[in-house]
Amino acid sequence: MSEGKATNITWHEGHVTRDERARLLQQNGATLWFTGLSGSGKSTIAFTLEHALVQSGRLAYVLDGDNIRHGLNKNLGFSAADREENIRRIGEVAKLFADCGVLTMTSFISPYRKDRDLVRSLHVEAKVPFVEIHVATPIETCEQRDPKGLYKKARSGQLKNFTGIDDPYEAPLNAEITLDATNTSPQEATVLLMRYLQQQGLIRG
Amino acid sequence: MSEGKATNITWHEGHVTRDERARLLQQNGATLWFTGLSGSGKSTIAFTLEHALVQSGRLAYVLDGDNIRHGLNKNLGFSAADREENIRRIGEVAKLFADCGVLTMTSFISPYRKDRDLVRSLHVEAKVPFVEIHVATPIETCEQRDPKGLYKKARSGQLKNFTGIDDPYEAPLNAEITLDATNTSPQEATVLLMRYLQQQGLIRG
C-alpha cells in the first residue's frame, strides 16, 4: 500500500472484496433462479422485477435465452450432455454476476432437479445467496397461452423432447419461493419478491 | 404499463436498457482486455485499477484465472481447441458484464491474435466498448521476475507449450493501449488508464 501522486487514492493490489462492492452498491448480490415450464411466465416476472429494481436504484440483470443461447452457449445443442452443460455455464456466470454485487435473475426452463441442485451447490460453496423460484403455473394454462406456439408444435410432433409433453419437468422440492401466474400477476410477484429480498437483507427497504 | 398498488413504480415487462443501467451507475460498461506474457504484470495492474475504480465509486470487476479456470472453464484443458474456447467464453462473459454496466477487466495471457480479434468482434457487434491493453513487458524481465516459477519449469522442460518459450505470443497490432511494466508502475498505469476511461466518456471526471 502506498500513496498515489496524482490522486488521493490508497493503492492496493489484491482483489476488491464482495463486501466492498456491496457497500458501493448498497445491496448484496444474489442469484434468483427462475424455473418453470415454457409459457409459465418466468421471463415476464423476471423482467418486471428487473425494471422495478433498477427503477428503485438497484443494479439487476437478467440472463435468459436471448443473451445466452446466441452468445456464451451458442456452441451447445439439445443433447442431454449439452443441456446439462448449458445450465452449468449459466449457473457459473450467474455466480460471477452475484459475486460482483448484481441482483442476477436467470430465466430458463431448467427442468432437471440434478442440474439446478448443482447450480445451488456452486453458490453455497462460494457463499453466494441463491434463491430458487418455481413458477408453477399449471401446464394446462401454459399450453393455453402458448405465446411462442411451441406446445402446438410439440403436440403435432414437429418438436421433440419438449418439456411437459414428451420430456419431464422435475418440480423443485425445496424452492425458496413458489408462484403461480394463474393467480399472481407479474406486478404482484414483483412486490412479493422485492419484499423477500428486503427480508433477506439483500436490498434495503 | 400500469400503476402498481403497493409502490409508486411504473410497471414494464421489456428488458432494462443498457442506457438505464448506465444512468443508474453513472458510468458506461466496457471490457478492458489485458493481454501479455506470464509475469508481465497484467493482474497487478488490473487489480490496482479495480481498487482505484471501486474506491472512487465505480463498479469494476476482474475476470482472471482464479474465478474462471476453477468455475466456468473448469471443463477445458490446454489443447488448441480448448484454449480457443477458453478465450471465447471469457469474451462472452466479459461482454455480458459490460452490457450490465460494469467496468470489466480480463487478465489472461490470451496469446493468439485470432482469439482476441474474435472477442473484439463480439463486442463491436453488440456495440459494447472494448479496450485491448497490451502489457508489453519484455520476456527477459518476465522471466527474471518469474513470480510463479513457471519460466524455470518451462526452461527445464517440465512445462510444455509455455507462451514465449515454446509457444508463440502474438503481440497485438492495434491495441488501444500499450504498457511496459519495466518503466510503468501499477499505480502509474492506473492513473493513465483512469484518464483514458474519462477521455472515452466511460467514467466521469
Side-chain angles (χ1 to χ4, degrees), chain B residues 43-70:
Chain B
S43 288
T44 306
I45 297 172
F47 285 117
T48 306
L49 176 61
E50 184 194 29
H51 266 291
L53 286 167
V54 171
Q55 219 176 331
S56 60
R58 283 91 170 207
L59 183 61
Y61 195 71
V62 178
L63 300 170
D64 70 349
D66 280 351
N67 56 22
I68 291 290
R69 269 280 174 196
H70 304 292

Side-chain angles (χ1 to χ4, degrees), chain B residues 33 80-88 91 110-122 130 132 170:
Chain B
W33 189 277
D82 277 10
R83 283 173 173 223
E84 187 180 328
E85 172 68 0
N86 181 50
I87 296 301
R88 188 193 71 82
S110 48
Y112 305 129
R113 206 171 284 142
K114 179 171 68 66
D115 297 344
R116 294 191 309 265
D117 287 350
L118 170 84
V119 172
R120 181 187 287 273
S121 73
L122 295 173
F130 182 80
E132 192 173 6
E170 299 173 357

Side-chain angles (χ1 to χ4, degrees), chain A residues 149-171:
Chain A
L150 298 174
Y151 284 93
K152 207 172 169 189
K153 283 190 184 167
R155 289 287 182 197
S156 74
Q158 272 183 278
L159 214 57
K160 295 287 175 196
N161 303 318
F162 191 77
T163 300
I165 305 295
D166 54 352
D167 212 69
Y169 178 78
E170 299 172 357

Side-chain angles (χ1 to χ4, degrees), chain A residues 106-152:
Chain A
T106 63
S107 178
F108 299 89
I109 298 174
S110 47
Y112 305 128
R113 207 172 283 144
K114 181 172 66 68
D115 297 343
R116 295 191 308 264
D117 286 350
L118 169 86
V119 171
R120 180 187 288 272
S121 74
L122 294 174
H123 282 74
V124 169
E125 211 176 290
K127 297 191 172 70
V128 173
F130 181 81
V131 183
E132 193 173 3
I133 301 161
H134 182 200
V135 184
T137 311
I139 188 161
E140 295 71 26
T141 312
C142 300
E143 189 165 358
Q144 208 171 0
R145 295 172 160 195
D146 204 9
K148 300 175 192 162
L150 298 174
Y151 284 93
K152 207 172 169 189

Side-chain angles (χ1 to χ4, degrees), chain A residues 24-25 57 59, chain B residues 18-29 53 56-59 100-103 197-198 201-205:
Chain A
L24 172 69
L25 292 171
L59 184 61
Chain B
R18 197 180 293 160
D19 279 354
E20 287 173 270
R21 262 184 293 261
R23 266 198 299 279
L24 173 69
L25 292 171
Q26 295 287 303
Q27 67 181 37
N28 287 299
L53 286 167
S56 60
R58 283 91 170 207
L59 183 61
C100 176
V102 181
L103 294 161
L197 295 176
Q198 284 171 13
L202 298 169
I203 59 174
R204 296 181 181 193

Side-chain angles (χ1 to χ4, degrees), chain A residues 2-17 20-21 24-25 43-44 47-64 66-68 70-75 85 88-90 92-93 95-102 122 186-188 190-191 194-195, chain B residues 2-17 20-21 24-25 43-44 47-64 66-68 70-75 85 88-90 92-93 95-102 122 186-188 190-191 194-195:
Chain A
S2 64
E3 284 299 316
K5 287 176 205 162
T7 64
N8 59 354
I9 282 168
T10 313
W11 300 104
H12 297 258
E13 292 187 0
H15 299 226
V16 167
T17 64
E20 287 172 89
R21 262 184 292 262
L24 172 69
L25 292 171
S43 288
T44 306
F47 285 116
T48 306
L49 177 60
E50 184 195 29
H51 265 290
L53 285 167
V54 170
Q55 219 177 332
S56 60
R58 283 90 171 207
L59 184 61
Y61 194 72
V62 178
L63 299 171
D64 70 347
D66 280 351
N67 55 22
I68 291 291
H70 304 293
L72 179 66
N73 290 357
K74 73 178 156 203
N75 56 359
E85 173 67 0
R88 188 194 71 82
R89 287 189 201 167
I90 294 161
E92 291 283 8
V93 172
K95 191 183 77 178
L96 290 171
F97 268 83
D99 179 53
C100 177
V102 181
L122 294 174
Q187 291 78 359
E188 287 166 339
T190 293
V191 169
M194 298 265 282
R195 201 173 299 143
Chain B
S2 64
E3 285 299 317
K5 287 175 205 161
T7 65
N8 58 355
I9 282 168
T10 312
W11 300 104
H12 297 260
E13 290 189 2
H15 298 226
V16 168
T17 64
E20 287 173 270
R21 262 184 293 261
L24 173 69
L25 292 171
S43 288
T44 306
F47 285 117
T48 306
L49 176 61
E50 184 194 29
H51 266 291
L53 286 167
V54 171
Q55 219 176 331
S56 60
R58 283 91 170 207
L59 183 61
Y61 195 71
V62 178
L63 300 170
D64 70 349
D66 280 351
N67 56 22
I68 291 290
H70 304 292
L72 178 64
N73 290 357
K74 71 179 159 202
N75 56 358
E85 172 68 0
R88 188 193 71 82
R89 287 190 202 165
I90 294 162
E92 290 284 7
V93 173
K95 191 182 76 178
L96 291 170
F97 268 83
D99 178 54
C100 176
V102 181
L122 295 173
Q187 291 78 1
E188 286 165 341
T190 292
V191 170
M194 298 263 284
R195 202 173 298 142

Side-chain angles (χ1 to χ4, degrees), chain A residues 176-187:
Chain A
E176 276 75 6
I177 292 168
T178 302
L179 298 167
D180 178 346
T182 315
N183 53 35
T184 312
S185 73
Q187 291 78 359

